[in-house]
Amino acid sequence: DVVMTQTPVSLSVSLGGQVSISCRSSQSLVHNNGNTYLSWYLQKPGQSPQLLIYKVSNRFSGISDRFSGSGSGTDFTLKISRVEPDDLGVYYCGQGTQYPLTFGSGTKLEIK
Amino acid sequence: EVQLQESGPGLVKPSQSLSLTCSVTGYSITSNYWGWIRKFPGNKMEWMGYISYSGSTSYNPSLKSRISITRDTSKNQFFLQLNSVTTEDTATYYCARSILWDYWGQGTLVTVSS
């Protein structure tokens, strides 16, 4: 299975600040078709996970441009700029290139 | 708008079967892929499997001998059955639209306990 290593485990940021979350995979996530199926999700307290970013850098419908994804191969980053109170929760990366699909262990974002 | 809703028992005894239903509105399950993901106490998330628009299935090998995902297209529902459960199957179970996992149900907590 592809192991997804997410860091940090938690972070605290001031409102208006910027944070980065790293996600590394144990194998390249480049699919045979040339696409890289790396997604980012946010689970807010008491809610189900929501898709933020798919295929590394594509924002899902309705997602603010304060969220941006980047990376390639095995190394990926989610950046959140101008952090708002509603951004708190647990962020996950997930890969869909190789079955079984796997997820990172989560990064908890707290607001200072 | 695509909406998913899980339903089923919140408590299952060890060695018994866990059965959940996912009711989908706003989109036909004869299109796309539909699956189950569970989140364990703590933050670990595990992909369990999916059923495709054609009815074909794919399962996590870690569950392959215990899991079955089926559907009823007339009701626009799909189902999860997990056999021979143990306390380690205690988790919140989510149904979602695969492959992007872009729409999720609200989740249902299933506790395995005698």
Side-chain angles (χ1 to χ4, degrees), chain A residues 26-65:
Chain A
S26 61
Q27 303 171 33
S28 173
L29 297 186
V30 180
H31 193 275
N32 289 339
N33 63 15
N35 289 315
T36 300
Y37 296 101
L38 185 283
S39 298
W40 291 94
Y41 305 86
L42 164 61
Q43 185 166 29
K44 299 178 182 180
Q47 297 185 20
S48 55
Q50 63 178 104
L51 176 66
L52 299 174
I53 302 283
Y54 64 96
K55 287 199 288 186
V56 181
S57 60
N58 295 274
R59 275 186 298 275
F60 183 56
S61 174
I63 300 302
S64 168
D65 60 4

PDB file of all heavy atoms in Angstrom, chain A residues 26-65:
ATOM      1  N   SER A  26       4.930   7.203  -0.221  1.00  0.00           N
ATOM      2  CA  SER A  26       6.015   6.219  -0.269  1.00  0.00           C
ATOM      3  C   SER A  26       6.345   5.787  -1.695  1.00  0.00           C
ATOM      4  O   SER A  26       7.375   5.150  -1.925  1.00  0.00           O
ATOM      5  CB  SER A  26       5.636   5.000   0.578  1.00  0.00           C
ATOM      6  OG  SER A  26       4.459   4.390   0.074  1.00  0.00           O
ATOM      7  N   GLN A  27       5.443   6.116  -2.629  1.00  0.00           N
ATOM      8  CA  GLN A  27       5.683   5.815  -4.037  1.00  0.00           C
ATOM      9  C   GLN A  27       5.188   6.997  -4.867  1.00  0.00           C
ATOM     10  O   GLN A  27       4.352   7.769  -4.402  1.00  0.00           O
ATOM     11  CB  GLN A  27       4.919   4.553  -4.476  1.00  0.00           C
ATOM     12  CG  GLN A  27       5.233   3.310  -3.682  1.00  0.00           C
ATOM     13  CD  GLN A  27       4.297   2.171  -4.029  1.00  0.00           C
ATOM     14  OE1 GLN A  27       3.846   2.032  -5.170  1.00  0.00           O
ATOM     15  NE2 GLN A  27       3.988   1.338  -3.051  1.00  0.00           N
ATOM     16  N   SER A  28       5.683   7.103  -6.073  1.00  0.00           N
ATOM     17  CA  SER A  28       5.211   8.157  -6.954  1.00  0.00           C
ATOM     18  C   SER A  28       3.703   8.034  -7.179  1.00  0.00           C
ATOM     19  O   SER A  28       3.175   6.932  -7.341  1.00  0.00           O
ATOM     20  CB  SER A  28       5.924   8.072  -8.301  1.00  0.00           C
ATOM     21  OG  SER A  28       5.347   8.981  -9.212  1.00  0.00           O
ATOM     22  N   LEU A  29       3.030   9.182  -7.162  1.00  0.00           N
ATOM     23  CA  LEU A  29       1.595   9.185  -7.378  1.00  0.00           C
ATOM     24  C   LEU A  29       1.225   9.511  -8.821  1.00  0.00           C
ATOM     25  O   LEU A  29       0.064   9.791  -9.124  1.00  0.00           O
ATOM     26  CB  LEU A  29       0.936  10.197  -6.430  1.00  0.00           C
ATOM     27  CG  LEU A  29       1.085   9.889  -4.937  1.00  0.00           C
ATOM     28  CD1 LEU A  29       0.270  10.873  -4.113  1.00  0.00           C
ATOM     29  CD2 LEU A  29       0.705   8.446  -4.613  1.00  0.00           C
ATOM     30  N   VAL A  30       2.191   9.465  -9.715  1.00  0.00           N
ATOM     31  CA  VAL A  30       1.900   9.682 -11.132  1.00  0.00           C
ATOM     32  C   VAL A  30       1.284   8.412 -11.694  1.00  0.00           C
ATOM     33  O   VAL A  30       1.900   7.349 -11.691  1.00  0.00           O
ATOM     34  CB  VAL A  30       3.169  10.052 -11.928  1.00  0.00           C
ATOM     35  CG1 VAL A  30       2.819  10.257 -13.399  1.00  0.00           C
ATOM     36  CG2 VAL A  30       3.824  11.288 -11.346  1.00  0.00           C
ATOM     37  N   HIS A  31       0.076   8.524 -12.169  1.00  0.00           N
ATOM     38  CA  HIS A  31      -0.642   7.380 -12.727  1.00  0.00           C
ATOM     39  C   HIS A  31      -0.116   7.076 -14.124  1.00  0.00           C
ATOM     40  O   HIS A  31       0.502   7.923 -14.770  1.00  0.00           O
ATOM     41  CB  HIS A  31      -2.135   7.706 -12.765  1.00  0.00           C
ATOM     42  CG  HIS A  31      -3.028   6.546 -13.026  1.00  0.00           C
ATOM     43  ND1 HIS A  31      -3.316   6.104 -14.308  1.00  0.00           N
ATOM     44  CD2 HIS A  31      -3.690   5.725 -12.182  1.00  0.00           C
ATOM     45  CE1 HIS A  31      -4.135   5.076 -14.227  1.00  0.00           C
ATOM     46  NE2 HIS A  31      -4.376   4.822 -12.940  1.00  0.00           N
ATOM     47  N   ASN A  32      -0.396   5.894 -14.601  1.00  0.00           N
ATOM     48  CA  ASN A  32      -0.010   5.517 -15.967  1.00  0.00           C
ATOM     49  C   ASN A  32      -0.589   6.463 -17.013  1.00  0.00           C
ATOM     50  O   ASN A  32      -0.025   6.612 -18.108  1.00  0.00           O
ATOM     51  CB  ASN A  32      -0.474   4.098 -16.279  1.00  0.00           C
ATOM     52  CG  ASN A  32       0.309   3.062 -15.517  1.00  0.00           C
ATOM     53  OD1 ASN A  32       1.427   3.329 -15.057  1.00  0.00           O
ATOM     54  ND2 ASN A  32      -0.251   1.878 -15.350  1.00  0.00           N
ATOM     55  N   ASN A  33      -1.720   7.098 -16.667  1.00  0.00           N
ATOM     56  CA  ASN A  33      -2.350   8.000 -17.636  1.00  0.00           C
ATOM     57  C   ASN A  33      -1.765   9.411 -17.576  1.00  0.00           C
ATOM     58  O   ASN A  33      -2.257  10.318 -18.242  1.00  0.00           O
ATOM     59  CB  ASN A  33      -3.868   8.041 -17.422  1.00  0.00           C
ATOM     60  CG  ASN A  33      -4.270   8.594 -16.072  1.00  0.00           C
ATOM     61  OD1 ASN A  33      -3.468   9.206 -15.366  1.00  0.00           O
ATOM     62  ND2 ASN A  33      -5.522   8.371 -15.693  1.00  0.00           N
ATOM     63  N   GLY A  34      -0.778   9.596 -16.722  1.00  0.00           N
ATOM     64  CA  GLY A  34      -0.105  10.890 -16.628  1.00  0.00           C
ATOM     65  C   GLY A  34      -0.660  11.797 -15.550  1.00  0.00           C
ATOM     66  O   GLY A  34      -0.021  12.794 -15.192  1.00  0.00           O
ATOM     67  N   ASN A  35      -1.818  11.495 -15.023  1.00  0.00           N
ATOM     68  CA  ASN A  35      -2.397  12.297 -13.951  1.00  0.00           C
ATOM     69  C   ASN A  35      -1.809  11.910 -12.605  1.00  0.00           C
ATOM     70  O   ASN A  35      -1.357  10.777 -12.410  1.00  0.00           O
ATOM     71  CB  ASN A  35      -3.914  12.118 -13.898  1.00  0.00           C
ATOM     72  CG  ASN A  35      -4.609  12.775 -15.069  1.00  0.00           C
ATOM     73  OD1 ASN A  35      -4.308  13.904 -15.426  1.00  0.00           O
ATOM     74  ND2 ASN A  35      -5.540  12.055 -15.679  1.00  0.00           N
ATOM     75  N   THR A  36      -1.850  12.854 -11.678  1.00  0.00           N
ATOM     76  CA  THR A  36      -1.412  12.608 -10.302  1.00  0.00           C
ATOM     77  C   THR A  36      -2.616  12.808  -9.395  1.00  0.00           C
ATOM     78  O   THR A  36      -3.113  13.924  -9.240  1.00  0.00           O
ATOM     79  CB  THR A  36      -0.277  13.568  -9.916  1.00  0.00           C
ATOM     80  OG1 THR A  36       0.836  13.374 -10.798  1.00  0.00           O
ATOM     81  CG2 THR A  36       0.167  13.305  -8.476  1.00  0.00           C
ATOM     82  N   TYR A  37      -3.056  11.717  -8.800  1.00  0.00           N
ATOM     83  CA  TYR A  37      -4.299  11.758  -8.027  1.00  0.00           C
ATOM     84  C   TYR A  37      -3.988  11.964  -6.542  1.00  0.00           C
ATOM     85  O   TYR A  37      -4.070  11.042  -5.727  1.00  0.00           O
ATOM     86  CB  TYR A  37      -5.105  10.485  -8.266  1.00  0.00           C
ATOM     87  CG  TYR A  37      -5.561  10.356  -9.700  1.00  0.00           C
ATOM     88  CD1 TYR A  37      -4.896   9.517 -10.602  1.00  0.00           C
ATOM     89  CD2 TYR A  37      -6.638  11.098 -10.170  1.00  0.00           C
ATOM     90  CE1 TYR A  37      -5.302   9.416 -11.925  1.00  0.00           C
ATOM     91  CE2 TYR A  37      -7.058  10.998 -11.490  1.00  0.00           C
ATOM     92  CZ  TYR A  37      -6.386  10.153 -12.356  1.00  0.00           C
ATOM     93  OH  TYR A  37      -6.788  10.065 -13.673  1.00  0.00           O
ATOM     94  N   LEU A  38      -3.698  13.201  -6.215  1.00  0.00           N
ATOM     95  CA  LEU A  38      -3.456  13.602  -4.839  1.00  0.00           C
ATOM     96  C   LEU A  38      -4.488  14.662  -4.483  1.00  0.00           C
ATOM     97  O   LEU A  38      -4.625  15.668  -5.194  1.00  0.00           O
ATOM     98  CB  LEU A  38      -2.036  14.158  -4.686  1.00  0.00           C
ATOM     99  CG  LEU A  38      -1.503  14.554  -3.287  1.00  0.00           C
ATOM    100  CD1 LEU A  38      -2.058  15.893  -2.795  1.00  0.00           C
ATOM    101  CD2 LEU A  38      -1.744  13.458  -2.257  1.00  0.00           C
ATOM    102  N   SER A  39      -5.221  14.414  -3.415  1.00  0.00           N
ATOM    103  CA  SER A  39      -6.285  15.315  -2.987  1.00  0.00           C
ATOM    104  C   SER A  39      -6.049  15.769  -1.559  1.00  0.00           C
ATOM    105  O   SER A  39      -5.334  15.128  -0.789  1.00  0.00           O
ATOM    106  CB  SER A  39      -7.643  14.617  -3.062  1.00  0.00           C
ATOM    107  OG  SER A  39      -7.957  14.235  -4.384  1.00  0.00           O
ATOM    108  N   TRP A  40      -6.696  16.870  -1.226  1.00  0.00           N
ATOM    109  CA  TRP A  40      -6.686  17.403   0.132  1.00  0.00           C
ATOM    110  C   TRP A  40      -8.127  17.566   0.615  1.00  0.00           C
ATOM    111  O   TRP A  40      -8.992  18.015  -0.146  1.00  0.00           O
ATOM    112  CB  TRP A  40      -5.978  18.757   0.193  1.00  0.00           C
ATOM    113  CG  TRP A  40      -4.505  18.698  -0.035  1.00  0.00           C
ATOM    114  CD1 TRP A  40      -3.842  18.874  -1.217  1.00  0.00           C
ATOM    115  CD2 TRP A  40      -3.504  18.440   0.951  1.00  0.00           C
ATOM    116  NE1 TRP A  40      -2.480  18.750  -1.023  1.00  0.00           N
ATOM    117  CE2 TRP A  40      -2.252  18.488   0.294  1.00  0.00           C
ATOM    118  CE3 TRP A  40      -3.528  18.195   2.329  1.00  0.00           C
ATOM    119  CZ2 TRP A  40      -1.033  18.287   0.971  1.00  0.00           C
ATOM    120  CZ3 TRP A  40      -2.331  17.999   2.995  1.00  0.00           C
ATOM    121  CH2 TRP A  40      -1.112  18.050   2.321  1.00  0.00           C
ATOM    122  N   TYR A  41      -8.336  17.220   1.878  1.00  0.00           N
ATOM    123  CA  TYR A  41      -9.660  17.294   2.481  1.00  0.00           C
ATOM    124  C   TYR A  41      -9.554  18.038   3.811  1.00  0.00           C
ATOM    125  O   TYR A  41      -8.528  17.996   4.477  1.00  0.00           O
ATOM    126  CB  TYR A  41     -10.221  15.896   2.754  1.00  0.00           C
ATOM    127  CG  TYR A  41     -10.253  15.009   1.544  1.00  0.00           C
ATOM    128  CD1 TYR A  41      -9.140  14.252   1.179  1.00  0.00           C
ATOM    129  CD2 TYR A  41     -11.389  14.926   0.742  1.00  0.00           C
ATOM    130  CE1 TYR A  41      -9.156  13.455   0.052  1.00  0.00           C
ATOM    131  CE2 TYR A  41     -11.412  14.124  -0.380  1.00  0.00           C
ATOM    132  CZ  TYR A  41     -10.296  13.386  -0.716  1.00  0.00           C
ATOM    133  OH  TYR A  41     -10.314  12.594  -1.834  1.00  0.00           O
ATOM    134  N   LEU A  42     -10.652  18.664   4.192  1.00  0.00           N
ATOM    135  CA  LEU A  42     -10.749  19.296   5.507  1.00  0.00           C
ATOM    136  C   LEU A  42     -11.957  18.718   6.227  1.00  0.00           C
ATOM    137  O   LEU A  42     -13.063  18.682   5.659  1.00  0.00           O
ATOM    138  CB  LEU A  42     -10.921  20.812   5.367  1.00  0.00           C
ATOM    139  CG  LEU A  42     -11.403  21.565   6.619  1.00  0.00           C
ATOM    140  CD1 LEU A  42     -10.417  21.393   7.771  1.00  0.00           C
ATOM    141  CD2 LEU A  42     -11.624  23.043   6.295  1.00  0.00           C
ATOM    142  N   GLN A  43     -11.725  18.253   7.442  1.00  0.00           N
ATOM    143  CA  GLN A  43     -12.841  17.838   8.265  1.00  0.00           C
ATOM    144  C   GLN A  43     -12.994  18.853   9.402  1.00  0.00           C
ATOM    145  O   GLN A  43     -12.168  18.891  10.326  1.00  0.00           O
ATOM    146  CB  GLN A  43     -12.665  16.435   8.831  1.00  0.00           C
ATOM    147  CG  GLN A  43     -13.893  15.972   9.595  1.00  0.00           C
ATOM    148  CD  GLN A  43     -13.896  14.494   9.884  1.00  0.00           C
ATOM    149  OE1 GLN A  43     -12.859  13.863  10.025  1.00  0.00           O
ATOM    150  NE2 GLN A  43     -15.092  13.912   9.967  1.00  0.00           N
ATOM    151  N   LYS A  44     -14.020  19.660   9.304  1.00  0.00           N
ATOM    152  CA  LYS A  44     -14.320  20.622  10.358  1.00  0.00           C
ATOM    153  C   LYS A  44     -14.983  19.894  11.525  1.00  0.00           C
ATOM    154  O   LYS A  44     -15.581  18.827  11.334  1.00  0.00           O
ATOM    155  CB  LYS A  44     -15.243  21.711   9.831  1.00  0.00           C
ATOM    156  CG  LYS A  44     -14.646  22.519   8.682  1.00  0.00           C
ATOM    157  CD  LYS A  44     -15.627  23.558   8.176  1.00  0.00           C
ATOM    158  CE  LYS A  44     -15.058  24.333   7.003  1.00  0.00           C
ATOM    159  NZ  LYS A  44     -16.007  25.346   6.487  1.00  0.00           N
ATOM    160  N   PRO A  45     -14.886  20.465  12.720  1.00  0.00           N
ATOM    161  CA  PRO A  45     -15.488  19.807  13.882  1.00  0.00           C
ATOM    162  C   PRO A  45     -16.969  19.501  13.671  1.00  0.00           C
ATOM    163  O   PRO A  45     -17.746  20.365  13.265  1.00  0.00           O
ATOM    164  CB  PRO A  45     -15.293  20.844  14.992  1.00  0.00           C
ATOM    165  CG  PRO A  45     -14.093  21.626  14.574  1.00  0.00           C
ATOM    166  CD  PRO A  45     -14.173  21.701  13.078  1.00  0.00           C
ATOM    167  N   GLY A  46     -17.336  18.245  13.919  1.00  0.00           N
ATOM    168  CA  GLY A  46     -18.726  17.835  13.822  1.00  0.00           C
ATOM    169  C   GLY A  46     -19.249  17.652  12.416  1.00  0.00           C
ATOM    170  O   GLY A  46     -20.450  17.433  12.223  1.00  0.00           O
ATOM    171  N   GLN A  47     -18.356  17.747  11.413  1.00  0.00           N
ATOM    172  CA  GLN A  47     -18.785  17.608  10.025  1.00  0.00           C
ATOM    173  C   GLN A  47     -18.067  16.451   9.349  1.00  0.00           C
ATOM    174  O   GLN A  47     -17.098  15.910   9.870  1.00  0.00           O
ATOM    175  CB  GLN A  47     -18.523  18.899   9.253  1.00  0.00           C
ATOM    176  CG  GLN A  47     -19.309  20.102   9.766  1.00  0.00           C
ATOM    177  CD  GLN A  47     -19.103  21.326   8.901  1.00  0.00           C
ATOM    178  OE1 GLN A  47     -18.693  21.235   7.735  1.00  0.00           O
ATOM    179  NE2 GLN A  47     -19.385  22.493   9.453  1.00  0.00           N
ATOM    180  N   SER A  48     -18.544  16.094   8.192  1.00  0.00           N
ATOM    181  CA  SER A  48     -17.850  15.094   7.383  1.00  0.00           C
ATOM    182  C   SER A  48     -16.736  15.780   6.597  1.00  0.00           C
ATOM    183  O   SER A  48     -16.741  17.002   6.437  1.00  0.00           O
ATOM    184  CB  SER A  48     -18.836  14.400   6.437  1.00  0.00           C
ATOM    185  OG  SER A  48     -19.524  15.349   5.661  1.00  0.00           O
ATOM    186  N   PRO A  49     -15.761  15.016   6.136  1.00  0.00           N
ATOM    187  CA  PRO A  49     -14.688  15.618   5.339  1.00  0.00           C
ATOM    188  C   PRO A  49     -15.240  16.286   4.082  1.00  0.00           C
ATOM    189  O   PRO A  49     -16.246  15.854   3.530  1.00  0.00           O
ATOM    190  CB  PRO A  49     -13.818  14.411   4.977  1.00  0.00           C
ATOM    191  CG  PRO A  49     -14.088  13.410   6.053  1.00  0.00           C
ATOM    192  CD  PRO A  49     -15.544  13.586   6.372  1.00  0.00           C
ATOM    193  N   GLN A  50     -14.561  17.344   3.666  1.00  0.00           N
ATOM    194  CA  GLN A  50     -14.934  18.021   2.433  1.00  0.00           C
ATOM    195  C   GLN A  50     -13.714  18.121   1.536  1.00  0.00           C
ATOM    196  O   GLN A  50     -12.590  18.338   2.011  1.00  0.00           O
ATOM    197  CB  GLN A  50     -15.514  19.410   2.717  1.00  0.00           C
ATOM    198  CG  GLN A  50     -14.556  20.371   3.365  1.00  0.00           C
ATOM    199  CD  GLN A  50     -15.162  21.745   3.590  1.00  0.00           C
ATOM    200  OE1 GLN A  50     -15.517  22.109   4.705  1.00  0.00           O
ATOM    201  NE2 GLN A  50     -15.260  22.518   2.534  1.00  0.00           N
ATOM    202  N   LEU A  51     -13.950  17.958   0.244  1.00  0.00           N
ATOM    203  CA  LEU A  51     -12.861  18.030  -0.726  1.00  0.00           C
ATOM    204  C   LEU A  51     -12.460  19.484  -0.939  1.00  0.00           C
ATOM    205  O   LEU A  51     -13.293  20.343  -1.211  1.00  0.00           O
ATOM    206  CB  LEU A  51     -13.320  17.409  -2.044  1.00  0.00           C
ATOM    207  CG  LEU A  51     -12.344  17.485  -3.209  1.00  0.00           C
ATOM    208  CD1 LEU A  51     -11.091  16.656  -2.930  1.00  0.00           C
ATOM    209  CD2 LEU A  51     -13.031  16.989  -4.492  1.00  0.00           C
ATOM    210  N   LEU A  52     -11.151  19.730  -0.817  1.00  0.00           N
ATOM    211  CA  LEU A  52     -10.623  21.064  -1.082  1.00  0.00           C
ATOM    212  C   LEU A  52      -9.920  21.122  -2.440  1.00  0.00           C
ATOM    213  O   LEU A  52     -10.189  21.987  -3.259  1.00  0.00           O
ATOM    214  CB  LEU A  52      -9.604  21.453  -0.007  1.00  0.00           C
ATOM    215  CG  LEU A  52     -10.064  21.525   1.436  1.00  0.00           C
ATOM    216  CD1 LEU A  52      -8.864  21.784   2.350  1.00  0.00           C
ATOM    217  CD2 LEU A  52     -11.126  22.599   1.600  1.00  0.00           C
ATOM    218  N   ILE A  53      -9.000  20.195  -2.630  1.00  0.00           N
ATOM    219  CA  ILE A  53      -8.099  20.191  -3.783  1.00  0.00           C
ATOM    220  C   ILE A  53      -8.068  18.784  -4.368  1.00  0.00           C
ATOM    221  O   ILE A  53      -8.019  17.802  -3.608  1.00  0.00           O
ATOM    222  CB  ILE A  53      -6.661  20.576  -3.357  1.00  0.00           C
ATOM    223  CG1 ILE A  53      -6.610  21.942  -2.687  1.00  0.00           C
ATOM    224  CG2 ILE A  53      -5.697  20.480  -4.548  1.00  0.00           C
ATOM    225  CD1 ILE A  53      -6.697  23.117  -3.617  1.00  0.00           C
ATOM    226  N   TYR A  54      -8.078  18.667  -5.682  1.00  0.00           N
ATOM    227  CA  TYR A  54      -7.921  17.372  -6.325  1.00  0.00           C
ATOM    228  C   TYR A  54      -6.865  17.467  -7.423  1.00  0.00           C
ATOM    229  O   TYR A  54      -6.593  18.556  -7.938  1.00  0.00           O
ATOM    230  CB  TYR A  54      -9.249  16.839  -6.866  1.00  0.00           C
ATOM    231  CG  TYR A  54      -9.856  17.681  -7.974  1.00  0.00           C
ATOM    232  CD1 TYR A  54      -9.651  17.363  -9.305  1.00  0.00           C
ATOM    233  CD2 TYR A  54     -10.646  18.792  -7.670  1.00  0.00           C
ATOM    234  CE1 TYR A  54     -10.204  18.131 -10.310  1.00  0.00           C
ATOM    235  CE2 TYR A  54     -11.196  19.560  -8.674  1.00  0.00           C
ATOM    236  CZ  TYR A  54     -10.976  19.232  -9.995  1.00  0.00           C
ATOM    237  OH  TYR A  54     -11.519  19.990 -10.989  1.00  0.00           O
ATOM    238  N   LYS A  55      -6.303  16.335  -7.753  1.00  0.00           N
ATOM    239  CA  LYS A  55      -5.209  16.269  -8.739  1.00  0.00           C
ATOM    240  C   LYS A  55      -4.180  17.361  -8.467  1.00  0.00           C
ATOM    241  O   LYS A  55      -3.860  18.179  -9.335  1.00  0.00           O
ATOM    242  CB  LYS A  55      -5.761  16.324 -10.157  1.00  0.00           C
ATOM    243  CG  LYS A  55      -6.448  15.011 -10.561  1.00  0.00           C
ATOM    244  CD  LYS A  55      -6.601  14.838 -12.066  1.00  0.00           C
ATOM    245  CE  LYS A  55      -7.638  15.742 -12.635  1.00  0.00           C
ATOM    246  NZ  LYS A  55      -7.891  15.488 -14.081  1.00  0.00           N
ATOM    247  N   VAL A  56      -3.707  17.371  -7.244  1.00  0.00           N
ATOM    248  CA  VAL A  56      -2.585  18.185  -6.762  1.00  0.00           C
ATOM    249  C   VAL A  56      -2.940  19.642  -6.545  1.00  0.00           C
ATOM    250  O   VAL A  56      -2.670  20.194  -5.479  1.00  0.00           O
ATOM    251  CB  VAL A  56      -1.351  18.093  -7.696  1.00  0.00           C
ATOM    252  CG1 VAL A  56      -0.203  18.937  -7.124  1.00  0.00           C
ATOM    253  CG2 VAL A  56      -0.910  16.650  -7.877  1.00  0.00           C
ATOM    254  N   SER A  57      -3.541  20.284  -7.550  1.00  0.00           N
ATOM    255  CA  SER A  57      -3.637  21.734  -7.500  1.00  0.00           C
ATOM    256  C   SER A  57      -4.982  22.303  -7.952  1.00  0.00           C
ATOM    257  O   SER A  57      -5.125  23.525  -8.046  1.00  0.00           O
ATOM    258  CB  SER A  57      -2.528  22.350  -8.363  1.00  0.00           C
ATOM    259  OG  SER A  57      -2.655  21.912  -9.707  1.00  0.00           O
ATOM    260  N   ASN A  58      -5.957  21.438  -8.199  1.00  0.00           N
ATOM    261  CA  ASN A  58      -7.255  21.914  -8.681  1.00  0.00           C
ATOM    262  C   ASN A  58      -8.214  22.136  -7.520  1.00  0.00           C
ATOM    263  O   ASN A  58      -8.520  21.181  -6.792  1.00  0.00           O
ATOM    264  CB  ASN A  58      -7.849  20.896  -9.653  1.00  0.00           C
ATOM    265  CG  ASN A  58      -7.022  20.751 -10.905  1.00  0.00           C
ATOM    266  OD1 ASN A  58      -7.174  21.492 -11.858  1.00  0.00           O
ATOM    267  ND2 ASN A  58      -6.098  19.789 -10.888  1.00  0.00           N
ATOM    268  N   ARG A  59      -8.665  23.376  -7.365  1.00  0.00           N
ATOM    269  CA  ARG A  59      -9.623  23.658  -6.301  1.00  0.00           C
ATOM    270  C   ARG A  59     -10.997  23.125  -6.661  1.00  0.00           C
ATOM    271  O   ARG A  59     -11.466  23.327  -7.792  1.00  0.00           O
ATOM    272  CB  ARG A  59      -9.702  25.159  -6.020  1.00  0.00           C
ATOM    273  CG  ARG A  59      -8.650  25.675  -5.055  1.00  0.00           C
ATOM    274  CD  ARG A  59      -8.899  27.140  -4.728  1.00  0.00           C
ATOM    275  NE  ARG A  59      -8.802  27.971  -5.916  1.00  0.00           N
ATOM    276  CZ  ARG A  59      -7.667  28.455  -6.390  1.00  0.00           C
ATOM    277  NH1 ARG A  59      -6.522  28.190  -5.766  1.00  0.00           N
ATOM    278  NH2 ARG A  59      -7.665  29.204  -7.480  1.00  0.00           N
ATOM    279  N   PHE A  60     -11.637  22.459  -5.703  1.00  0.00           N
ATOM    280  CA  PHE A  60     -12.984  21.964  -5.927  1.00  0.00           C
ATOM    281  C   PHE A  60     -13.939  23.149  -5.976  1.00  0.00           C
ATOM    282  O   PHE A  60     -13.635  24.241  -5.493  1.00  0.00           O
ATOM    283  CB  PHE A  60     -13.379  20.986  -4.819  1.00  0.00           C
ATOM    284  CG  PHE A  60     -14.725  20.353  -5.003  1.00  0.00           C
ATOM    285  CD1 PHE A  60     -15.025  19.651  -6.159  1.00  0.00           C
ATOM    286  CD2 PHE A  60     -15.700  20.442  -4.021  1.00  0.00           C
ATOM    287  CE1 PHE A  60     -16.258  19.055  -6.338  1.00  0.00           C
ATOM    288  CE2 PHE A  60     -16.937  19.856  -4.181  1.00  0.00           C
ATOM    289  CZ  PHE A  60     -17.219  19.162  -5.355  1.00  0.00           C
ATOM    290  N   SER A  61     -15.103  22.923  -6.532  1.00  0.00           N
ATOM    291  CA  SER A  61     -16.114  23.963  -6.685  1.00  0.00           C
ATOM    292  C   SER A  61     -16.412  24.659  -5.353  1.00  0.00           C
ATOM    293  O   SER A  61     -16.669  24.003  -4.340  1.00  0.00           O
ATOM    294  CB  SER A  61     -17.398  23.337  -7.238  1.00  0.00           C
ATOM    295  OG  SER A  61     -18.440  24.267  -7.287  1.00  0.00           O
ATOM    296  N   GLY A  62     -16.354  25.984  -5.369  1.00  0.00           N
ATOM    297  CA  GLY A  62     -16.704  26.756  -4.188  1.00  0.00           C
ATOM    298  C   GLY A  62     -15.588  26.934  -3.179  1.00  0.00           C
ATOM    299  O   GLY A  62     -15.774  27.623  -2.163  1.00  0.00           O
ATOM    300  N   ILE A  63     -14.430  26.357  -3.434  1.00  0.00           N
ATOM    301  CA  ILE A  63     -13.308  26.467  -2.497  1.00  0.00           C
ATOM    302  C   ILE A  63     -12.552  27.763  -2.754  1.00  0.00           C
ATOM    303  O   ILE A  63     -12.200  28.081  -3.896  1.00  0.00           O
ATOM    304  CB  ILE A  63     -12.376  25.258  -2.605  1.00  0.00           C
ATOM    305  CG1 ILE A  63     -13.141  23.964  -2.287  1.00  0.00           C
ATOM    306  CG2 ILE A  63     -11.161  25.416  -1.684  1.00  0.00           C
ATOM    307  CD1 ILE A  63     -13.779  23.948  -0.903  1.00  0.00           C
ATOM    308  N   SER A  64     -12.272  28.469  -1.664  1.00  0.00           N
ATOM    309  CA  SER A  64     -11.598  29.757  -1.743  1.00  0.00           C
ATOM    310  C   SER A  64     -10.210  29.636  -2.354  1.00  0.00           C
ATOM    311  O   SER A  64      -9.513  28.632  -2.166  1.00  0.00           O
ATOM    312  CB  SER A  64     -11.480  30.338  -0.328  1.00  0.00           C
ATOM    313  OG  SER A  64     -10.607  31.438  -0.302  1.00  0.00           O
ATOM    314  N   ASP A  65      -9.796  30.693  -3.041  1.00  0.00           N
ATOM    315  CA  ASP A  65      -8.447  30.696  -3.621  1.00  0.00           C
ATOM    316  C   ASP A  65      -7.387  30.924  -2.548  1.00  0.00           C
ATOM    317  O   ASP A  65      -6.196  31.000  -2.852  1.00  0.00           O
ATOM    318  CB  ASP A  65      -8.330  31.745  -4.729  1.00  0.00           C
ATOM    319  CG  ASP A  65      -8.603  33.162  -4.247  1.00  0.00           C
ATOM    320  OD1 ASP A  65      -8.808  33.353  -3.025  1.00  0.00           O
ATOM    321  OD2 ASP A  65      -8.611  34.082  -5.083  1.00  0.00           O
TER     322      ASP A  65
END
